[in-house]
Amino acid sequence: MKKKLLSTLLVGAMAASLVACGQPNTDQANTNTADGAATADGSSVRLLNGKPEIDSQLQDLAKLYNEETGNTLVVETIGGDTNAADELKKMYQADNMPDIFVIEANQADTWDGMLADLSGSAWTDKTEFELENDSMGTIGFPYTVEATALGYNADVLEAAGIDPSTLTSPAAYKEAFETLDSKKDELGIKAVLGWCAEPANLGWSSGTHVFGQYLDAGLKADDTTYIDLLNDGGQIDKDRMKDFAEFIGMMNQYSDPELLVDGTYDAQVAGFTAGDYAFITQGNWCVTSPDDVDFECGFAPYAFEDGIDTIIAGPPSYWVAYNDGNVDGAKEFFEWCAGDSAQNILVNDAGLVSPFDDCQYEAVNPFYKSMKSYIDAGKFSGWHTMLKKDGLQNVTCQVFADYAQGKLDADSFVSTIESVIKDYYAN
């Protein structure tokens, strides 16, 4: 029977943006096809990829697609320093839209009438995670499931005598952070935490993923309490936000100071994979291969209130088909992509977690075991951060940066972020 566990999350769309997970900024397109050149016939489909970390795997996917079907998939990967969402706007204005691209949940209405309805596709019977929209129907193909929480180095925690399963309260984290900090030399770590609040390069992380913990940590997957409050004119729960602010303050205190205010995504991930940090504020996208680390990885919740024991998990992004593009070709590719050959590459080579029930491959992602344990136990919250007003992260991230720089305390963090959010929703 087709599962609909997260149906309430998916109405209106739930996805990360082209820039949400992984290296966020882009510069130039790396375009390849199975035969080295794009073709203009009806069997050619262009896919705009905003995840440069899996470019080579998607190029392999394109090659295999051509070998098995005779069709051509042109993968155009955006990388460097140009925002991929901005690049998509330029492509639209130039009448040069790809057939397949990625949208953000709160951008679904922006594309109203321009996305193909994928309802009735066979692959929708194999997943609970298709993206549905009230007016457009089934508009999104899920190519992965991702999770975000506090990633940890299990070997370091074990050496420090810390059981990650006990990290379900602020007090437990305070004790753990103090222990790790006092044993940095003994443990061979540079800092307790790899957390960066630099707004220009990592505003998408603080303003979307970390802020998303305020919205969802500890809640059931279909609980929309705080996103509903937020979207009702930009309201917040001040008591919950104060608890969240105090937890972020503790993160500021124990993060690598060089990374905290002036770091980059690459530096953050490199520090964690090198064993310099016991924790990292990212998701399973930051480490995709067991070859990237020589330690066991796991997830722990952002327990800024007593009893919080969930991670945020679900499809962070979806491929959608442009209505004026090669819709039939896109549908054919989606059907093939849900099958065994494509899933083999996406799971075993790209390190993604399959959203399809019949996938026989276990993800090689080092966070997969921990991530799956939360999902299997029902200990996961929704990606409601992707349903906030589009662009909100671009203003809230500056509040995180000011807090990290010592310009705000916990109380002024709450009052400032409340004011910023209200102003943004008012405009």
Side-chain angles (χ1 to χ4, degrees):
M1 178 181 293
K2 185 177 179 182
K3 301 188 298 295
K4 286 293 179 184
L5 179 61
L6 298 184
S7 60
T8 56
L9 300 185
L10 299 177
V11 173
M14 180 192 72
S17 70
L18 284 156
V19 300
C21 303
Q23 182 68 18
N25 294 324
T26 58
D27 183 33
Q28 58 185 7
N30 175 22
T31 305
N32 287 299
T33 69
D35 58 4
T39 61
D41 61 32
S43 64
S44 178
V45 174
R46 292 171 58 209
L47 184 153
L48 185 66
N49 169 40
K51 293 175 71 67
E53 65 270 23
I54 61 169
D55 171 68
S56 64
Q57 293 87 351
L58 290 185
Q59 303 300 343
D60 290 341
L61 193 75
K63 182 178 180 181
L64 184 62
Y65 184 54
N66 177 257
E67 292 174 354
E68 292 195 353
T69 69
N71 297 335
T72 299
L73 176 69
V74 182
V75 177
E76 301 175 7
T77 292
I78 309 301
D81 297 319
T82 300
N83 184 285
D86 291 341
E87 185 67 20
L88 189 61
K89 293 176 184 177
K90 293 177 184 177
M91 296 174 82
Y92 177 75
Q93 292 167 355
D95 196 22
N96 185 35
M97 284 291 290
D99 301 297
I100 299 171
F101 58 95
V102 182
I103 67 167
E104 195 169 307
N106 50 7
Q107 295 172 340
D109 289 342
T110 301
W111 297 98
D112 193 8
M114 291 183 278
L115 303 180
D117 187 353
L118 308 174
S119 301
S121 299
W123 60 263
T124 62
D125 292 327
K126 302 193 299 182
T127 182
E128 63 189 85
F129 292 119
E130 70 270 35
L131 188 155
E132 298 174 348
N133 181 271
D134 285 338
S135 64
M136 291 181 279
T138 299
I139 58 173
F141 176 90
Y143 60 90
T144 187
V145 173
E146 290 184 349
T148 181
L150 283 171
Y152 63 77
N153 180 327
D155 293 359
V156 167
L157 296 193
E158 182 178 8
I162 297 169
D163 179 357
S165 70
T166 66
L167 300 177
T168 57
S169 70
Y173 267 104
K174 184 175 186 296
E175 182 179 356
F177 282 8
E178 288 174 347
T179 297
L180 289 164
D181 190 59
S182 69
K183 295 182 176 181
K184 283 189 298 186
D185 292 340
E186 175 186 338
L187 297 170
I189 60 175
K190 184 177 181 181
V192 173
L193 185 67
W195 148 237
C196 179
E198 200 284 320
N201 294 308
L202 273 165
W204 58 271
S205 179
S206 59
T208 296
H209 299 136
V210 178
F211 179 77
Q213 300 295 334
Y214 155 76
L215 293 173
D216 281 301
L219 304 186
K220 296 292 186 181
D222 60 355
D223 190 334
T224 60
T225 298
Y226 298 106
I227 186 63
D228 289 345
L229 188 65
L230 185 73
N231 286 335
D232 184 15
Q235 300 182 70
I236 65 168
D237 183 303
K238 292 183 182 179
D239 291 338
R240 182 174 168 88
M241 186 64 80
K242 176 63 180 299
D243 292 338
F244 175 71
E246 290 177 345
F247 192 84
I248 298 300
M250 183 168 58
M251 286 168 46
N252 291 342
Q253 179 183 353
Y254 288 101
S255 180
D256 177 357
E258 295 179 7
L259 179 71
L260 179 62
V261 299
D262 196 29
T264 65
Y265 173 78
D266 286 345
Q268 182 186 30
V269 174
F272 179 70
T273 57
D276 292 340
Y277 311 133
F279 291 91
I280 185 172
T281 59
Q282 286 294 340
N284 64 295
W285 57 83
C286 72
V287 183
T288 59
S289 169
D291 296 332
D292 294 337
V293 291
D294 60 3
F295 52 84
E296 182 180 347
C297 296
F299 279 130
Y302 277 72
F304 56 87
E305 293 180 334
D306 290 348
I308 287 180
D309 60 356
T310 67
I311 64 172
I312 290 177
S317 58
Y318 292 82
W319 285 330
V320 297
Y322 184 50
N323 208 33
D324 290 336
N326 185 355
V327 174
D328 289 340
K331 288 182 176 180
E332 188 172 354
F333 169 69
F334 290 154
E335 207 62 67
W336 178 85
C337 200
D340 185 78
S341 297
Q343 291 301 300
N344 182 23
I345 290 178
L346 294 174
V347 174
N348 291 326
D349 297 341
L352 303 182
V353 177
S354 177
F356 295 101
D357 302 335
D358 63 349
C359 179
Q360 63 178 312
Y361 305 109
E362 291 242 330
V364 297
N365 189 292
F367 284 105
Y368 176 69
K369 180 180 177 181
S370 178
M371 175 181 169
K372 187 174 186 297
S373 70
Y374 280 97
I375 293 175
D376 288 349
K379 298 288 188 179
F380 67 98
S381 304
W383 278 91
H384 291 115
T385 186
M386 307 316 301
L387 298 177
K388 63 187 181 297
K389 185 176 180 180
D390 187 18
L392 180 64
Q393 67 276 6
N394 298 327
V395 293
T396 54
C397 69
Q398 186 60 55
V399 185
F400 283 95
D402 289 345
Y403 194 18
Q405 293 168 14
K407 297 178 181 178
L408 304 172
D409 59 16
D411 287 323
S412 53
F413 175 90
V414 174
S415 60
T416 302
I417 205 163
E418 179 185 29
S419 176
V420 163
I421 291 171
K422 282 186 176 180
D423 287 347
Y424 191 81
Y425 271 81
N427 296 317

